[in-house]
Amino acid sequence: MTVFRRLGVALSLACILACSLLPVIARAADVRPNGLDRRVDAIPAAQLERAPAALLVDPDRQIAAERLARWMMPGWLASIVFQILVLAYFWQSGAAAKLRDSLRRMQLSELTVRFLFGASLAFVARLAALLPSFYLFRVGRVMELSATLLRTWSLTWLFNTVVAMVIAGIVVSVVLWLVDRTHQWYIFTLLAIVAGSFAVTFGAINFNVVPSEPASATVLNIARPLEDKAGVHVPIVIDKRSGRTHIGAAGVAGLGPSTQIVIDDTLVAGNTPAELRYAIAHELGEIAARDPVRTASLNAVLVIIGVALAVFIADRIGFRRDDDPVARLALVAALLGCVYIFVAPIDNAVLRSMSSYADGYAVALTGDRDAAIRSVVRAADQRLDQVCPNVMARLFLETSPPLGERVASFNGVPSGCP
């Protein structure tokens, strides 16, 4: 059996595995407002202003949050490490070279061979991360953070795999085409990475598969005075996520003329009007600070650094006898995964800094610290966020400041975190 056929068999087995392992019983997401919302609603304003975060959150949920962090960290690391090991073995064993030769024996054009090889690398990486991804999915189900059905998760995994394969195939074929034609290929590659990062950010709203609708008059009546005060006017849409999760969130999607504020319907249902004002003000703060532009720029820089380091290290690893630039892409991809482990904390630290600025901006815009505190405490209870995450969770999992720090910044009470 050729390597190409083995990949086809592996894809079929992956589909069967994803669709049959540990069937999940259908259950609707917890309807908001729920018991956690009512507990947060009952917190007196005086306590919000004088108590640290540890005394504001639900103690049982904090115990669960610590358990969740212990379960999430191994899954996240495994999803990266498994891809690194499999891709490295794929190159070192000669399987990458055999796949390349199998494709060339099919008498395809070299451009097509490179496209299919790149797509195959993406599939190998996705397959390597399948079990950790499934594990993380199950953790979310067990902790009742998600009501997504197994079949929905499986179809989403397959869709994302196909998209990753197409993108990887295009990237590999275009980059190697540039290498064949100019010694300055790296300049064009850098420009393409920057353009691609901004294009993805610009078109992010077009890839949102969650149904959405324009904001209601109630939400718009809350938002318009804030927009007038901030001098920022953008469309606001509501994502329909209540059937899949009770967790609510708000964010900014798009770039420039495509910019939108996206609010989950669970957030609208569970938060008070004052907290909704804070959530919208927070996203206006991100827009005012040009966070979408900064995020796109950061992503481009980190990808460029990662690719440069991976290529630099790969050039210092001895060639196999059957190596060529196509086969060695498996080694470069494995090294890129290694670099990502070191780059991820940098990315998260920058995102935490952006979120911290938006927190301050939102409080200044609304003048309501109590609503800000109640909002972040409510979100922590719903999402199982830790008040004081450990170093590993902070480095690799946290994209917002820890709850203890956020509450301390609002009410001036020491966080109590080490």
Side-chain angles (χ1 to χ4, degrees):
M1 185 182 293
T2 65
V3 175
F4 198 59
R5 289 180 180 176
R6 288 173 185 171
L7 287 175
V9 172
L11 178 59
S12 300
L13 292 175
C15 296
I16 296 172
L17 180 66
C19 296
S20 63
L21 276 181
L22 297 177
V24 177
I25 299 174
R27 180 171 60 184
D30 196 7
V31 178
R32 302 282 300 274
N34 52 26
L36 293 172
D37 289 316
R38 289 186 285 273
R39 189 200 70 83
V40 175
D41 289 341
I43 299 175
Q47 186 177 355
L48 293 173
E49 296 168 0
R50 299 171 186 171
L55 299 180
L56 297 175
V57 294
D58 183 273
D60 292 334
R61 298 292 285 180
Q62 275 303 291
I63 294 174
E66 293 174 4
R67 187 184 308 121
L68 176 64
R70 289 197 301 269
W71 290 352
M72 289 290 290
M73 194 67 221
W76 184 90
L77 283 176
S79 68
I80 306 301
V81 172
F82 282 15
Q83 293 181 74
I84 294 171
L85 295 177
V86 170
L87 287 169
Y89 177 78
F90 190 61
W91 168 77
Q92 192 276 334
S93 65
K98 291 178 182 178
L99 173 61
R100 174 206 61 204
D101 294 339
S102 297
L103 292 172
R104 285 175 175 166
R105 282 195 296 269
M106 296 171 66
Q107 298 183 344
L108 303 170
S109 68
E110 187 62 20
L111 189 66
T112 303
V113 167
R114 292 169 175 177
F115 174 86
L116 292 177
F117 187 87
S120 299
L121 281 185
F123 170 68
V124 168
R126 291 281 299 172
L127 188 63
L130 175 60
L131 288 180
S133 298
F134 182 77
Y135 165 80
L136 292 174
F137 160 72
R138 288 295 297 144
V139 168
R141 287 286 307 192
V142 169
M143 301 303 291
E144 298 184 351
L145 298 178
S146 170
T148 300
L149 297 176
L150 178 59
R151 61 174 176 267
T152 302
W153 178 86
S154 302
L155 291 174
T156 302
W157 185 89
L158 290 173
F159 174 78
N160 291 336
T161 298
V162 172
V163 171
M165 291 172 67
V166 171
I167 293 175
I170 293 174
V171 169
V172 167
S173 56
V174 170
V175 170
L176 292 182
W177 177 81
L178 288 172
V179 171
D180 290 340
R181 280 158 178 75
T182 175
H183 293 298
Q184 286 75 43
W185 62 271
Y186 56 89
I187 297 177
F188 295 100
T189 301
L190 296 182
L191 294 175
I193 291 173
V194 174
S197 179
F198 277 87
V200 168
T201 304
F202 178 84
I205 57 174
N206 297 320
F207 295 99
N208 185 9
V209 297
V210 178
S212 61
E213 60 186 26
S216 65
T218 301
V219 174
L220 292 179
N221 288 337
I222 294 174
R224 292 314 177 211
L226 293 172
E227 291 185 323
D228 292 340
K229 190 174 181 180
V232 177
H233 293 83
V234 296
I236 299 177
V237 298
I238 307 297
D239 273 356
K240 309 293 288 185
R241 296 181 182 269
S242 54
R244 298 182 180 181
T245 178
H246 60 79
I247 298 173
V252 177
L255 189 69
S258 73
T259 301
Q260 291 183 350
I261 293 178
V262 182
I263 305 174
D264 295 348
D265 59 343
T266 48
L267 188 75
V268 176
N271 287 32
T272 64
E275 293 170 59
L276 190 56
R277 290 181 72 243
Y278 163 78
I280 295 173
H282 188 280
E283 304 316 313
L284 290 174
E286 292 191 359
I287 296 173
R290 301 179 64 81
D291 281 358
V293 175
R294 294 167 63 191
T295 301
S297 302
L298 174 66
N299 292 339
V301 169
L302 293 180
V303 170
I304 290 170
I305 292 174
V307 171
L309 286 174
V311 172
F312 176 81
I313 297 171
D315 284 344
R316 280 145 185 81
I317 296 176
F319 277 67
R320 294 172 46 85
R321 287 188 304 170
D322 53 6
D323 260 355
D324 74 341
V326 175
R328 280 181 75 82
L329 286 173
L331 174 61
V332 173
L335 292 171
L336 190 58
C338 295
V339 173
Y340 176 74
I341 292 179
F342 294 95
V343 168
I346 300 174
D347 186 25
N348 290 340
V350 175
L351 293 176
R352 287 195 297 270
S353 176
M354 293 180 183
S355 180
S356 180
Y357 171 84
D359 278 345
Y361 182 96
V363 169
L365 192 65
T366 62
D368 192 344
R369 295 182 182 275
D370 290 354
I373 298 171
R374 202 182 298 274
S375 176
V376 297
V377 169
R378 188 189 305 275
D381 278 349
Q382 297 287 347
R383 295 194 305 241
L384 294 179
D385 290 340
Q386 289 181 281
V387 172
C388 301
N390 61 34
V391 174
M392 292 294 288
R394 184 183 177 94
L395 287 176
F396 294 104
L397 302 179
E398 300 291 337
T399 58
S400 297
L403 178 65
E405 294 182 10
R406 297 184 78 178
V407 171
S409 70
F410 293 141
N411 63 13
V413 176
S415 66
C417 297

